[in-house]
Amino acid sequence: MVPEAHAEEVARSGTVVAPVAVVELFTSEGCSSCPRADVVLGELAREAPSVVALAYHVDYWDELGWPDRFSSADSTARQRDYARSFGTPNLYTPQMVVGGSDAFVGSDKGHARDSIARALAHHAAVPVSARAHMTGSEAVVVDVAAPGAPSDAVVRVAVVQREATVDVHAGENAGRSLHHTSIVRGFSTAPPDHASVTLRWPSGLSPKDAEVVAFVQRKPSADGGMPILGAVRASIGP
C-alpha cells in the first residue's frame, strides 16, 4: 500500500497538476519502418520534459528473420488492448498513441507534435506520485499515490530502460545500428486504491540506467481509446 502520509502530501500539492503527455510507441527491430519512429520518439522526449515516452517492442515480428531482444508478449498484449479500445482488429508497427486516446503511424512527427500540444494544453486530471526501490537484485517495488483517481481507472507501472543501441544482423534492418529510447522492460497494472506493485527486474539492467513510469488510465471509453489522466517518472532507489 502507498503510505497514507505520502498520499496526503500528493493531494495537498495536487490542486493544480502540471500537464503531461504520455507517448507510447509500438515498435520492433524486425520492422524496416520502425527505426524512423524510434528516432521520432527520442526527439519528442528531448523536446519537452513534460513528454513521458514509452517504447513497447512487440513480439510478432520475431519469427520473420530477427528476434528483437527487447520484445515481449506483454508489449503485444498492450497494443492489442489499444486495438480493441479503438474498435479495430489490426495491429501494426510503428504505431504511436498519445494520451491513450490518439493513435497514428509512429513516424508521423507532425501528427505527434500536434497531439502532444493538445495534451499539454490542459492540466493533468489526476496527480500521480511514485517511489521505487529494489528488493535484492531480482525485483523492484513501486508505491504509487493517485488521489482522486476515478473508480473506472487503473494504475499502470513500467520499468523503463533509458536507451540502448543494437546492431541488427538479419531481417529487414540487417546491417543497421538501431538506437532505442525509453524501452519498456517490465509492465504491470494495479487498482488505484492499492497501487503497490512488484515487478521482476530485467536481467543485466543496471538501476542507474533505468527509471519507473507510473500513470493512471481509464478503461476503454465510448469515444475510443483509454485516456491517460496523469503520469510521473521516478528514479529507482536501493
Side-chain angles (χ1 to χ4, degrees):
M1 289 290 291
V2 177
E4 186 173 324
H6 179 40
E8 291 175 354
E9 172 187 301
V10 174
R12 285 196 300 271
S13 64
T15 303
V16 175
V17 187
V20 63
V22 177
V23 181
E24 299 173 270
L25 175 67
F26 296 92
T27 185
S28 172
E29 292 178 353
C31 161
S32 63
S33 300
C34 287
R36 175 56 189 157
D38 296 335
V39 171
V40 167
L41 184 71
E43 292 172 347
L44 294 170
R46 289 190 295 272
E47 286 176 0
S50 48
V51 170
V52 176
L54 296 168
Y56 301 85
H57 289 235
V58 299
D59 65 353
Y60 51 83
W61 279 90
D62 285 2
E63 296 181 0
L64 300 176
W66 178 255
D68 186 333
R69 70 186 65 182
F70 299 120
S71 68
S72 71
D74 287 343
S75 291
T76 301
R78 173 75 172 154
Q79 188 182 26
R80 189 171 289 114
D81 285 344
Y82 267 126
R84 282 193 290 263
S85 76
F86 289 116
T88 174
N90 300 320
L91 302 183
Y92 66 90
T93 55
Q95 181 184 37
M96 191 170 283
V97 182
V98 175
S101 57
D102 185 19
F104 52 94
V105 175
S107 55
D108 190 341
K109 190 174 183 180
H111 189 142
R113 280 177 164 166
D114 290 345
S115 189
I116 289 168
R118 288 193 294 271
L120 297 182
H122 307 281
H123 295 296
V126 175
V128 185
S129 180
R131 293 176 177 172
H133 64 276
M134 299 294 297
T135 58
S137 61
E138 297 184 352
V140 61
V141 176
V142 186
D143 293 327
V144 183
S151 58
D152 65 340
V154 292
V155 170
R156 316 281 196 188
V157 180
V159 173
V160 180
Q161 181 173 337
R162 290 191 178 93
E163 59 182 358
T165 300
V166 177
D167 293 329
V168 177
H169 303 295
E172 292 188 1
N173 289 312
R176 302 184 68 173
S177 182
L178 305 182
H179 186 75
H180 305 307
T181 302
S182 303
I183 311 152
V184 175
R185 300 292 307 276
F187 190 74
S188 188
T189 300
D193 59 347
H194 187 77
S196 184
V197 178
T198 300
L199 295 99
R200 183 177 61 83
W201 189 253
S203 176
L205 178 61
S206 171
K208 67 181 179 63
D209 297 325
E211 63 182 1
V212 164
V213 169
F215 56 99
V216 174
Q217 184 168 37
R218 285 191 184 275
K219 295 175 183 178
S221 72
D223 295 330
M226 298 180 287
I228 293 174
L229 307 179
V232 70
R233 297 186 187 90
S235 58
I236 301 166

